[in-house]
Amino acid sequence: MTKSYSLQDIADYLGAELRGDTACQITGLNTLEHGQTGDLVFLANKAYERYLSTTQASAVLLEPRYAEAFAGNALVLDNPYVAYARISSWFVHSTPPEGGVHPSAVIADSASLADGVSIGPHVSIGERVKIGAGVNIGPGVSIGNDSTIGSGSRLYSNVSVYHGVSIGCDTVIHSNTVIGADGFGFANDGGEWIKIHQLGSVEIGNNVEIGACTTIDRGALDNTVIEDGVILDNHVQIAHNVRIGENTAMAAYAGISGSTKIGKNCVFAAHAGAVGHITVGDGVVAMARCTISKSTAKAGSYSSGLLMDETRQWRKNAVRFGQLDDMARRLKQLEKDSQA
Amino acid sequence: MTKSYSLQDIADYLGAELRGDTACQITGLNTLEHGQTGDLVFLANKAYERYLSTTQASAVLLEPRYAEAFAGNALVLDNPYVAYARISSWFVHSTPPEGGVHPSAVIADSASLADGVSIGPHVSIGERVKIGAGVNIGPGVSIGNDSTIGSGSRLYSNVSVYHGVSIGCDTVIHSNTVIGADGFGFANDGGEWIKIHQLGSVEIGNNVEIGACTTIDRGALDNTVIEDGVILDNHVQIAHNVRIGENTAMAAYAGISGSTKIGKNCVFAAHAGAVGHITVGDGVVAMARCTISKSTAKAGSYSSGLLMDETRQWRKNAVRFGQLDDMARRLKQLEKDSQA
Amino acid sequence: MTKSYSLQDIADYLGAELRGDTACQITGLNTLEHGQTGDLVFLANKAYERYLSTTQASAVLLEPRYAEAFAGNALVLDNPYVAYARISSWFVHSTPPEGGVHPSAVIADSASLADGVSIGPHVSIGERVKIGAGVNIGPGVSIGNDSTIGSGSRLYSNVSVYHGVSIGCDTVIHSNTVIGADGFGFANDGGEWIKIHQLGSVEIGNNVEIGACTTIDRGALDNTVIEDGVILDNHVQIAHNVRIGENTAMAAYAGISGSTKIGKNCVFAAHAGAVGHITVGDGVVAMARCTISKSTAKAGSYSSGLLMDETRQWRKNAVRFGQLDDMARRLKQLEKDSQA
């Protein structure tokens, strides 16, 4: 089932200036390098400009500065990468599941399902759960008592949602992710750990996307909160009572410890994290493997860690790290001596 | 369904000295800062002492040294944080699942279920599995042949337990965690990896708590062992033939490599780990991102890694790290020269 | 049900020279240290040679150089560890699931199942899925539309496979792993993240083994590819459009960012990773926590990170790291002064 659209229709949707054949039919998206007849491609990175003259694609999304020199069909606009993202939904191959509730799903009588929901096989939905219009629940998903899922949201297979969780509208949660498990709260009583029952829950906003095998724990007393527009990759860990501000992005293995507040429009790269009980301002960027270790109001990029090296060479330097304080003292002594 | 308890009942349970209104009704727990009428709150950290004079809470758990100066209702005891943990179970909102076996569960005829078990929808239980009294198995859980679950334990939705696994009593396993998958054992035969079938299993003790999306692999020949009272957060990895000693705690992404023995009362912070085939003594603390890289008998705190810095400043220093051995040699030469 | 084999049969299978009692019966595998009557053990590491004279095992796999001095039953060959791996499959205790499709499985009419498949309880199989001969699908697995699973492969419980994924023959995927979730692709439009729909898929080769709670994302335009013979541990993250070359091995928490190509026979240790859009050659070894941060053609071992130290001592050095660029400049000045 190939989808085909005229270049004119695409230009209209994107608000792009069309140069060339308005009737040209587009059947897929591709990269500038690999584009073939029928493909719409994009030039979003100067490094790929060299493919512009040789691309076999039927049309190119590009900025005005490249348009003059390009003889083929072009959609001209300011941000080709955003345009590519926006048009990508037109080319989704997979057919959405049929509406309706699969007969194997187990749904409590007190749960309410709005119009147009799709509930897959082997789903479990608890007491008083509210499922909004058009929500799509994949196979094997479990939703605990008193949770709510806003309209237009999608949960892929084998997601686990605990009780009392609130998920907004048009939010996507990928497979095997867990929302609302107990936060890791224990008090140490002479060596033995006494569990602190986690009485809060989780609130997730609208237009959030959460990857696979990610965990968002319920709060100890208050709720853990994920604001609108947040995007989380796979294997992310959000501990209890954390708040993640609007449109913040976190890559794989990013982990935020308990009670920390992260601002809006932050970016956490892979393996980055933040310690507990701190406040991180808007626009903070934590580079890969950086731990934000104290409250940080100033926007900008933060790092820790080391650059890669060949192991043989690295080892010599790593051993010297253990002598660094001693080296600093000796350096100071030499400076003192030389000034004597 | 609000729960309400008299302050006297709570004092009796905790063994606390009650100062104030014994009939005062408590309907919830909260922080000193946010407590309202009906709330019991706690003062466990000197940093929050400033809220003591203004709290709206109905009663406060506190130490004797703060009690004199506090005019409100107080429960006085030595460790308010432990007391808060102990009383937290009284305020759990969620209703436990009804007992009984959901008709959609698939249970082998040779499995045995003790009294008072609760088995959710879409559960699979293999041959000769033994489920102890009062065990609670959530939706979508799979338990392999010959595994046993001790009385009072709870497995949340979509947990996977392989064959031959032994889980103790009063142990909690959160959603989508995997117990008993094959250890990562392969022998390299001229480039090709030959699988070492993992013939051991996993033994988990009593009063263990295991987070979500955590993995504990089965042993190659002997068993992987988690002793009583261990607490593991989300995304933890315990490799084959590891042993984790009693009451050891591990935060998210802590990973222990194969055949390593970890002592009792250890703490592994987020992203910490240990290499394989070593022995780590009781009371070792591995700070965030620290790899315990050799056998370590001495209790105490171990670290590696770097402090965060602004990326621009960090990069200058990170480049210098690659010159550290050279710097050390030059420093030594200068010292030699200056003594000449 | 104990399995028992004659030493002669084992010698024939492994192509080993048998010294001693050909009729000796072997009922299990064990380590040289712990072997008992009935056990076959192996000497693969010189550190364990001291147990050779005292082992209680019935026979030992060992190299020719150790055979002369050993009086017991011996299987002599060049690589005892590979031999142990190869023979380990003979001693698997668990019984394979019976063939057939469990009546609770939900399988689309358009799906095709070859001979000898085993489909567990609560499985969901989508439209036009093709399942090869002898495939074993565990409880709660979900397979999306148009995916294919090659003959002899095994998927353990609660694995999620999205639509359009291709999995080869004799490949093993452990529980709660997710194949084909959306890659983490978004374009930033003035603060808001616009989703790039992920139109590619995932291709996994033959004889691949994938651990538990691991994620392999579908490609944005092209496919993400895992070549034959790759072995991935638990909690691994393979981002969209990555290619992993034949026989490459990755330990827990290894993460490869988008569009990066990893060569053959590479090894990524625990918590290692690679940034996006680079090419890593054959035979590259990334030690624990090392980020391969640029294209690297040269085989060999790469590291970053620091050695562990006691926290008190570490802190002094970590603070000095922040002064390293300054120290380097001062050192250079001293050198200049001393030559004046």
Side-chain angles (χ1 to χ4, degrees), chain A residues 94-95 97 139 154 156-157 175, chain C residues 106 108 110-111 123-131 137 141-149 155 159-167 179-180 201 218:
Chain A
S94 63
T95 47
R154 180 165 193 175
Y156 284 88
S157 58
S175 286
Chain C
V106 173
S110 58
V123 166
S124 302
I125 296 184
E127 301 288 346
R128 298 169 299 280
V129 166
K130 289 188 175 61
I131 307 286
I137 308 282
V141 169
S142 168
I143 302 178
N145 295 341
D146 302 297
S147 288
T148 64
I149 317 278
L155 277 62
V159 164
S160 292
V161 177
Y162 281 55
H163 60 280
V165 168
S166 167
I167 296 172
I179 312 292
S201 191
R218 65 192 315 108

mmCIF file of all heavy atoms in Angstrom, chain A residues 94-95 97 139 154 156-157 175, chain C residues 106 108 110-111 123-131 137 141-149 155 159-167 179-180 201 218:
data_model
loop_
_atom_site.group_PDB
_atom_site.id
_atom_site.type_symbol
_atom_site.label_atom_id
_atom_site.label_comp_id
_atom_site.label_asym_id
_atom_site.label_seq_id
_atom_site.Cartn_x
_atom_site.Cartn_y
_atom_site.Cartn_z
ATOM 1 N N SER A 94 2.774 1.657 8.896
ATOM 2 C CA SER A 94 2.005 0.701 9.693
ATOM 3 C C SER A 94 0.550 1.124 9.773
ATOM 4 O O SER A 94 0.229 2.305 9.890
ATOM 5 C CB SER A 94 2.604 0.602 11.094
ATOM 6 O OG SER A 94 2.509 1.847 11.738
ATOM 7 N N THR A 95 -0.316 0.179 9.709
ATOM 8 C CA THR A 95 -1.728 0.460 9.841
ATOM 9 C C THR A 95 -2.060 0.507 11.321
ATOM 10 O O THR A 95 -1.630 -0.340 12.102
ATOM 11 C CB THR A 95 -2.556 -0.660 9.185
ATOM 12 O OG1 THR A 95 -2.024 -1.915 9.639
ATOM 13 C CG2 THR A 95 -2.457 -0.597 7.673
ATOM 14 N N PRO A 97 -4.068 -0.061 14.690
ATOM 15 C CA PRO A 97 -4.946 -1.175 15.068
ATOM 16 C C PRO A 97 -6.406 -0.761 14.855
ATOM 17 O O PRO A 97 -6.747 0.414 14.973
ATOM 18 C CB PRO A 97 -4.672 -1.364 16.552
ATOM 19 C CG PRO A 97 -3.561 -0.461 16.909
ATOM 20 C CD PRO A 97 -3.327 0.497 15.807
ATOM 21 N N PRO A 139 -1.022 -4.749 23.190
ATOM 22 C CA PRO A 139 -1.163 -6.051 23.841
ATOM 23 C C PRO A 139 -0.387 -6.129 25.158
ATOM 24 O O PRO A 139 0.735 -5.619 25.264
ATOM 25 C CB PRO A 139 -0.552 -7.017 22.826
ATOM 26 C CG PRO A 139 -0.661 -6.331 21.511
ATOM 27 C CD PRO A 139 -0.515 -4.873 21.812
ATOM 28 N N ARG A 154 -1.159 6.843 23.306
ATOM 29 C CA ARG A 154 -0.897 5.470 22.864
ATOM 30 C C ARG A 154 0.095 4.795 23.805
ATOM 31 O O ARG A 154 1.164 5.338 24.090
ATOM 32 C CB ARG A 154 -0.334 5.481 21.449
ATOM 33 C CG ARG A 154 -0.047 4.086 20.920
ATOM 34 C CD ARG A 154 0.174 4.065 19.416
ATOM 35 N NE ARG A 154 0.141 2.672 18.955
ATOM 36 C CZ ARG A 154 0.203 2.297 17.690
ATOM 37 N NH1 ARG A 154 0.263 3.200 16.734
ATOM 38 N NH2 ARG A 154 0.163 1.025 17.361
ATOM 39 N N TYR A 156 2.239 1.282 24.023
ATOM 40 C CA TYR A 156 2.630 0.093 23.274
ATOM 41 C C TYR A 156 2.666 -1.139 24.195
ATOM 42 O O TYR A 156 2.511 -1.033 25.420
ATOM 43 C CB TYR A 156 3.985 0.334 22.602
ATOM 44 C CG TYR A 156 3.882 1.222 21.365
ATOM 45 C CD1 TYR A 156 3.965 2.604 21.458
ATOM 46 C CD2 TYR A 156 3.672 0.669 20.105
ATOM 47 C CE1 TYR A 156 3.865 3.419 20.333
ATOM 48 C CE2 TYR A 156 3.567 1.470 18.972
ATOM 49 C CZ TYR A 156 3.664 2.834 19.087
ATOM 50 O OH TYR A 156 3.557 3.631 17.964
ATOM 51 N N SER A 157 2.921 -2.272 23.597
ATOM 52 C CA SER A 157 2.772 -3.561 24.289
ATOM 53 C C SER A 157 3.584 -3.661 25.582
ATOM 54 O O SER A 157 4.710 -3.185 25.678
ATOM 55 C CB SER A 157 3.179 -4.701 23.359
ATOM 56 O OG SER A 157 4.494 -4.529 22.917
ATOM 57 N N SER A 175 7.066 0.332 24.567
ATOM 58 C CA SER A 175 6.899 -0.975 25.196
ATOM 59 C C SER A 175 7.740 -1.178 26.458
ATOM 60 O O SER A 175 8.877 -0.723 26.549
ATOM 61 C CB SER A 175 7.271 -2.068 24.201
ATOM 62 O OG SER A 175 6.255 -2.202 23.236
ATOM 63 N N VAL C 106 -3.335 -15.166 20.833
ATOM 64 C CA VAL C 106 -4.181 -14.483 19.836
ATOM 65 C C VAL C 106 -3.335 -14.290 18.584
ATOM 66 O O VAL C 106 -2.355 -13.537 18.598
ATOM 67 C CB VAL C 106 -4.665 -13.129 20.384
ATOM 68 C CG1 VAL C 106 -5.406 -12.346 19.305
ATOM 69 C CG2 VAL C 106 -5.546 -13.353 21.607
ATOM 70 N N ALA C 108 -3.261 -13.607 14.399
ATOM 71 C CA ALA C 108 -4.037 -13.118 13.251
ATOM 72 C C ALA C 108 -4.191 -14.227 12.216
ATOM 73 O O ALA C 108 -3.283 -15.042 12.022
ATOM 74 C CB ALA C 108 -3.327 -11.921 12.636
ATOM 75 N N SER C 110 -4.021 -14.045 9.134
ATOM 76 C CA SER C 110 -3.069 -13.911 8.031
ATOM 77 C C SER C 110 -1.640 -14.262 8.427
ATOM 78 O O SER C 110 -0.737 -14.240 7.587
ATOM 79 C CB SER C 110 -3.112 -12.478 7.497
ATOM 80 O OG SER C 110 -2.818 -11.570 8.543
ATOM 81 N N ALA C 111 -1.421 -14.565 9.693
ATOM 82 C CA ALA C 111 -0.076 -14.981 10.127
ATOM 83 C C ALA C 111 0.168 -16.424 9.696
ATOM 84 O O ALA C 111 -0.776 -17.201 9.544
ATOM 85 C CB ALA C 111 0.042 -14.856 11.645
ATOM 86 N N VAL C 123 0.142 -14.881 24.203
ATOM 87 C CA VAL C 123 0.940 -14.287 23.121
ATOM 88 C C VAL C 123 0.011 -13.562 22.152
ATOM 89 O O VAL C 123 -1.137 -13.969 21.969
ATOM 90 C CB VAL C 123 1.738 -15.405 22.402
ATOM 91 C CG1 VAL C 123 2.318 -14.921 21.075
ATOM 92 C CG2 VAL C 123 2.832 -15.940 23.322
ATOM 93 N N SER C 124 0.533 -12.467 21.543
ATOM 94 C CA SER C 124 -0.212 -11.759 20.496
ATOM 95 C C SER C 124 0.630 -11.731 19.224
ATOM 96 O O SER C 124 1.774 -11.249 19.257
ATOM 97 C CB SER C 124 -0.483 -10.306 20.905
ATOM 98 O OG SER C 124 -1.204 -10.254 22.109
ATOM 99 N N ILE C 125 0.085 -12.199 18.131
ATOM 100 C CA ILE C 125 0.814 -12.213 16.854
ATOM 101 C C ILE C 125 -0.031 -11.511 15.799
ATOM 102 O O ILE C 125 -1.193 -11.880 15.579
ATOM 103 C CB ILE C 125 1.156 -13.658 16.451
ATOM 104 C CG1 ILE C 125 2.125 -14.248 17.491
ATOM 105 C CG2 ILE C 125 1.740 -13.716 15.040
ATOM 106 C CD1 ILE C 125 2.634 -15.635 17.180
ATOM 107 N N GLY C 126 0.567 -10.491 15.169
ATOM 108 C CA GLY C 126 -0.171 -9.597 14.277
ATOM 109 C C GLY C 126 -0.375 -10.143 12.872
ATOM 110 O O GLY C 126 -0.008 -11.281 12.544
ATOM 111 N N GLU C 127 -0.912 -9.294 12.026
ATOM 112 C CA GLU C 127 -1.236 -9.645 10.648
ATOM 113 C C GLU C 127 0.035 -9.941 9.838
ATOM 114 O O GLU C 127 1.031 -9.249 9.938
ATOM 115 C CB GLU C 127 -1.978 -8.476 9.975
ATOM 116 C CG GLU C 127 -3.279 -8.069 10.654
ATOM 117 C CD GLU C 127 -4.402 -9.089 10.446
ATOM 118 O OE1 GLU C 127 -4.262 -9.972 9.570
ATOM 119 O OE2 GLU C 127 -5.410 -9.002 11.182
ATOM 120 N N ARG C 128 -0.066 -10.984 9.031
ATOM 121 C CA ARG C 128 0.980 -11.339 8.056
ATOM 122 C C ARG C 128 2.341 -11.668 8.701
ATOM 123 O O ARG C 128 3.373 -11.664 8.025
ATOM 124 C CB ARG C 128 1.152 -10.219 7.015
ATOM 125 C CG ARG C 128 -0.103 -9.961 6.175
ATOM 126 C CD ARG C 128 0.010 -8.699 5.349
ATOM 127 N NE ARG C 128 0.186 -7.511 6.173
ATOM 128 C CZ ARG C 128 -0.807 -6.866 6.812
ATOM 129 N NH1 ARG C 128 -2.067 -7.287 6.703
ATOM 130 N NH2 ARG C 128 -0.557 -5.806 7.546
ATOM 131 N N VAL C 129 2.361 -11.911 9.994
ATOM 132 C CA VAL C 129 3.605 -12.335 10.649
ATOM 133 C C VAL C 129 3.969 -13.736 10.152
ATOM 134 O O VAL C 129 3.088 -14.570 9.938
ATOM 135 C CB VAL C 129 3.432 -12.327 12.185
ATOM 136 C CG1 VAL C 129 4.564 -13.069 12.887
ATOM 137 C CG2 VAL C 129 3.345 -10.886 12.684
ATOM 138 N N LYS C 130 5.263 -13.976 9.963
ATOM 139 C CA LYS C 130 5.734 -15.303 9.545
ATOM 140 C C LYS C 130 6.644 -15.863 10.645
ATOM 141 O O LYS C 130 7.657 -15.253 10.982
ATOM 142 C CB LYS C 130 6.530 -15.204 8.247
ATOM 143 C CG LYS C 130 5.687 -14.894 7.022
ATOM 144 C CD LYS C 130 6.519 -15.008 5.743
ATOM 145 C CE LYS C 130 5.645 -14.828 4.509
ATOM 146 N NZ LYS C 130 4.987 -13.486 4.465
ATOM 147 N N ILE C 131 6.264 -17.049 11.157
ATOM 148 C CA ILE C 131 7.032 -17.696 12.221
ATOM 149 C C ILE C 131 7.650 -18.962 11.642
ATOM 150 O O ILE C 131 6.930 -19.848 11.169
ATOM 151 C CB ILE C 131 6.114 -18.071 13.407
ATOM 152 C CG1 ILE C 131 5.309 -16.859 13.905
ATOM 153 C CG2 ILE C 131 6.915 -18.719 14.522
ATOM 154 C CD1 ILE C 131 6.095 -15.856 14.688
ATOM 155 N N ILE C 137 8.033 -19.272 21.229
ATOM 156 C CA ILE C 137 7.592 -17.940 21.678
ATOM 157 C C ILE C 137 7.039 -18.078 23.088
ATOM 158 O O ILE C 137 6.044 -18.776 23.311
ATOM 159 C CB ILE C 137 6.473 -17.389 20.763
ATOM 160 C CG1 ILE C 137 6.868 -17.446 19.279
ATOM 161 C CG2 ILE C 137 6.062 -15.986 21.190
ATOM 162 C CD1 ILE C 137 7.790 -16.370 18.822
ATOM 163 N N VAL C 141 4.501 -12.660 24.948
ATOM 164 C CA VAL C 141 5.229 -11.974 23.870
ATOM 165 C C VAL C 141 4.225 -11.329 22.918
ATOM 166 O O VAL C 141 3.156 -11.879 22.653
ATOM 167 C CB VAL C 141 6.122 -12.982 23.099
ATOM 168 C CG1 VAL C 141 6.668 -12.361 21.816
ATOM 169 C CG2 VAL C 141 7.249 -13.471 23.994
ATOM 170 N N SER C 142 4.596 -10.152 22.401
ATOM 171 C CA SER C 142 3.774 -9.467 21.402
ATOM 172 C C SER C 142 4.604 -9.247 20.138
ATOM 173 O O SER C 142 5.727 -8.740 20.221
ATOM 174 C CB SER C 142 3.317 -8.120 21.971
ATOM 175 O OG SER C 142 2.770 -7.314 20.957
ATOM 176 N N ILE C 143 4.063 -9.636 18.994
ATOM 177 C CA ILE C 143 4.769 -9.470 17.718
ATOM 178 C C ILE C 143 3.872 -8.675 16.773
ATOM 179 O O ILE C 143 2.738 -9.095 16.483
ATOM 180 C CB ILE C 143 5.133 -10.833 17.099
ATOM 181 C CG1 ILE C 143 6.014 -11.621 18.089
ATOM 182 C CG2 ILE C 143 5.835 -10.661 15.756
ATOM 183 C CD1 ILE C 143 6.400 -13.001 17.609
ATOM 184 N N GLY C 144 4.384 -7.530 16.303
ATOM 185 C CA GLY C 144 3.581 -6.626 15.485
ATOM 186 C C GLY C 144 3.400 -7.126 14.050
ATOM 187 O O GLY C 144 4.087 -8.059 13.601
ATOM 188 N N ASN C 145 2.529 -6.463 13.333
ATOM 189 C CA ASN C 145 2.215 -6.828 11.949
ATOM 190 C C ASN C 145 3.468 -6.917 11.079
ATOM 191 O O ASN C 145 4.392 -6.121 11.222
ATOM 192 C CB ASN C 145 1.304 -5.767 11.319
ATOM 193 C CG ASN C 145 -0.060 -5.700 11.981
ATOM 194 O OD1 ASN C 145 -0.481 -6.631 12.658
ATOM 195 N ND2 ASN C 145 -0.745 -4.575 11.787
ATOM 196 N N ASP C 146 3.458 -7.900 10.166
ATOM 197 C CA ASP C 146 4.463 -7.987 9.103
ATOM 198 C C ASP C 146 5.878 -8.307 9.591
ATOM 199 O O ASP C 146 6.835 -8.158 8.823
ATOM 200 C CB ASP C 146 4.492 -6.693 8.264
ATOM 201 C CG ASP C 146 3.143 -6.393 7.631
ATOM 202 O OD1 ASP C 146 2.685 -7.206 6.811
ATOM 203 O OD2 ASP C 146 2.534 -5.363 7.996
ATOM 204 N N SER C 147 6.020 -8.731 10.820
ATOM 205 C CA SER C 147 7.346 -9.149 11.292
ATOM 206 C C SER C 147 7.584 -10.615 10.952
ATOM 207 O O SER C 147 6.635 -11.374 10.721
ATOM 208 C CB SER C 147 7.465 -8.926 12.806
ATOM 209 O OG SER C 147 7.563 -7.540 13.070
ATOM 210 N N THR C 148 8.866 -10.997 10.896
ATOM 211 C CA THR C 148 9.203 -12.388 10.611
ATOM 212 C C THR C 148 10.237 -12.876 11.620
ATOM 213 O O THR C 148 11.148 -12.141 12.002
ATOM 214 C CB THR C 148 9.797 -12.551 9.200
ATOM 215 O OG1 THR C 148 11.035 -11.833 9.136
ATOM 216 C CG2 THR C 148 8.873 -11.992 8.135
ATOM 217 N N ILE C 149 10.075 -14.152 12.016
ATOM 218 C CA ILE C 149 11.010 -14.782 12.952
ATOM 219 C C ILE C 149 11.540 -16.041 12.272
ATOM 220 O O ILE C 149 10.751 -16.938 11.936
ATOM 221 C CB ILE C 149 10.316 -15.203 14.267
ATOM 222 C CG1 ILE C 149 9.353 -14.126 14.780
ATOM 223 C CG2 ILE C 149 11.338 -15.620 15.308
ATOM 224 C CD1 ILE C 149 9.949 -13.021 15.538
ATOM 225 N N LEU C 155 12.056 -16.598 21.646
ATOM 226 C CA LEU C 155 11.766 -15.339 22.330
ATOM 227 C C LEU C 155 11.177 -15.677 23.690
ATOM 228 O O LEU C 155 10.145 -16.342 23.781
ATOM 229 C CB LEU C 155 10.743 -14.501 21.530
ATOM 230 C CG LEU C 155 11.283 -13.648 20.377
ATOM 231 C CD1 LEU C 155 11.931 -14.500 19.296
ATOM 232 C CD2 LEU C 155 10.161 -12.815 19.761
ATOM 233 N N VAL C 159 8.662 -10.385 25.782
ATOM 234 C CA VAL C 159 9.377 -9.618 24.744
ATOM 235 C C VAL C 159 8.343 -8.873 23.901
ATOM 236 O O VAL C 159 7.257 -9.389 23.628
ATOM 237 C CB VAL C 159 10.211 -10.568 23.855
ATOM 238 C CG1 VAL C 159 10.637 -9.888 22.546
ATOM 239 C CG2 VAL C 159 11.435 -11.070 24.615
ATOM 240 N N SER C 160 8.711 -7.634 23.487
ATOM 241 C CA SER C 160 7.861 -6.862 22.581
ATOM 242 C C SER C 160 8.587 -6.653 21.255
ATOM 243 O O SER C 160 9.671 -6.066 21.229
ATOM 244 C CB SER C 160 7.544 -5.487 23.181
ATOM 245 O OG SER C 160 6.712 -5.608 24.316
ATOM 246 N N VAL C 161 7.999 -7.134 20.178
ATOM 247 C CA VAL C 161 8.531 -6.900 18.830
ATOM 248 C C VAL C 161 7.508 -6.040 18.093
ATOM 249 O O VAL C 161 6.335 -6.414 18.020
ATOM 250 C CB VAL C 161 8.751 -8.233 18.084
ATOM 251 C CG1 VAL C 161 9.227 -7.986 16.656
ATOM 252 C CG2 VAL C 161 9.727 -9.123 18.842
ATOM 253 N N TYR C 162 7.943 -4.910 17.570
ATOM 254 C CA TYR C 162 7.036 -4.023 16.842
ATOM 255 C C TYR C 162 6.782 -4.571 15.428
ATOM 256 O O TYR C 162 7.230 -5.652 15.079
ATOM 257 C CB TYR C 162 7.632 -2.617 16.773
ATOM 258 C CG TYR C 162 7.467 -1.790 18.045
ATOM 259 C CD1 TYR C 162 7.912 -2.245 19.278
ATOM 260 C CD2 TYR C 162 6.868 -0.539 18.012
ATOM 261 C CE1 TYR C 162 7.769 -1.471 20.431
ATOM 262 C CE2 TYR C 162 6.729 0.247 19.153
ATOM 263 C CZ TYR C 162 7.178 -0.228 20.365
ATOM 264 O OH TYR C 162 7.039 0.546 21.498
ATOM 265 N N HIS C 163 6.126 -3.790 14.606
ATOM 266 C CA HIS C 163 5.756 -4.191 13.240
ATOM 267 C C HIS C 163 6.969 -4.135 12.297
ATOM 268 O O HIS C 163 7.874 -3.323 12.470
ATOM 269 C CB HIS C 163 4.665 -3.265 12.707
ATOM 270 C CG HIS C 163 5.093 -1.831 12.650
ATOM 271 N ND1 HIS C 163 5.095 -1.006 13.761
ATOM 272 C CD2 HIS C 163 5.567 -1.077 11.632
ATOM 273 C CE1 HIS C 163 5.532 0.186 13.415
ATOM 274 N NE2 HIS C 163 5.832 0.181 12.135
ATOM 275 N N GLY C 164 6.949 -5.007 11.308
ATOM 276 C CA GLY C 164 7.919 -4.940 10.212
ATOM 277 C C GLY C 164 9.333 -5.336 10.577
ATOM 278 O O GLY C 164 10.270 -5.097 9.814
ATOM 279 N N VAL C 165 9.513 -5.960 11.726
ATOM 280 C CA VAL C 165 10.850 -6.353 12.176
ATOM 281 C C VAL C 165 11.210 -7.711 11.577
ATOM 282 O O VAL C 165 10.362 -8.597 11.478
ATOM 283 C CB VAL C 165 10.886 -6.431 13.725
ATOM 284 C CG1 VAL C 165 12.154 -7.113 14.229
ATOM 285 C CG2 VAL C 165 10.731 -5.039 14.319
ATOM 286 N N SER C 166 12.469 -7.871 11.200
ATOM 287 C CA SER C 166 12.939 -9.146 10.672
ATOM 288 C C SER C 166 13.982 -9.733 11.613
ATOM 289 O O SER C 166 15.010 -9.104 11.875
ATOM 290 C CB SER C 166 13.550 -8.896 9.285
ATOM 291 O OG SER C 166 14.283 -10.026 8.879
ATOM 292 N N ILE C 167 13.724 -10.935 12.102
ATOM 293 C CA ILE C 167 14.640 -11.627 13.014
ATOM 294 C C ILE C 167 15.065 -12.932 12.348
ATOM 295 O O ILE C 167 14.229 -13.662 11.810
ATOM 296 C CB ILE C 167 13.947 -11.897 14.369
ATOM 297 C CG1 ILE C 167 13.607 -10.553 15.047
ATOM 298 C CG2 ILE C 167 14.804 -12.775 15.271
ATOM 299 C CD1 ILE C 167 12.751 -10.670 16.285
ATOM 300 N N ILE C 179 12.156 -4.774 20.625
ATOM 301 C CA ILE C 179 12.760 -4.653 19.296
ATOM 302 C C ILE C 179 11.844 -3.823 18.399
ATOM 303 O O ILE C 179 10.690 -4.200 18.188
ATOM 304 C CB ILE C 179 12.958 -6.044 18.642
ATOM 305 C CG1 ILE C 179 13.610 -7.042 19.598
ATOM 306 C CG2 ILE C 179 13.713 -5.910 17.319
ATOM 307 C CD1 ILE C 179 15.041 -6.742 19.942
ATOM 308 N N GLY C 180 12.370 -2.709 17.899
ATOM 309 C CA GLY C 180 11.617 -1.951 16.901
ATOM 310 C C GLY C 180 10.789 -0.807 17.417
ATOM 311 O O GLY C 180 9.973 -0.255 16.675
ATOM 312 N N SER C 201 12.936 0.066 9.883
ATOM 313 C CA SER C 201 12.624 -1.004 10.830
ATOM 314 C C SER C 201 13.914 -1.578 11.411
ATOM 315 O O SER C 201 14.918 -0.864 11.503
ATOM 316 C CB SER C 201 11.783 -2.088 10.153
ATOM 317 O OG SER C 201 11.291 -2.973 11.145
ATOM 318 N N ARG C 218 13.897 1.010 15.889
ATOM 319 C CA ARG C 218 13.726 0.994 14.443
ATOM 320 C C ARG C 218 14.376 2.242 13.836
ATOM 321 O O ARG C 218 14.534 3.273 14.501
ATOM 322 C CB ARG C 218 12.253 0.903 14.044
ATOM 323 C CG ARG C 218 11.428 2.088 14.429
ATOM 324 C CD ARG C 218 9.908 1.839 14.276
ATOM 325 N NE ARG C 218 9.544 1.187 13.061
ATOM 326 C CZ ARG C 218 9.137 -0.091 12.989
ATOM 327 N NH1 ARG C 218 9.009 -0.804 14.101
ATOM 328 N NH2 ARG C 218 8.825 -0.622 11.835
#
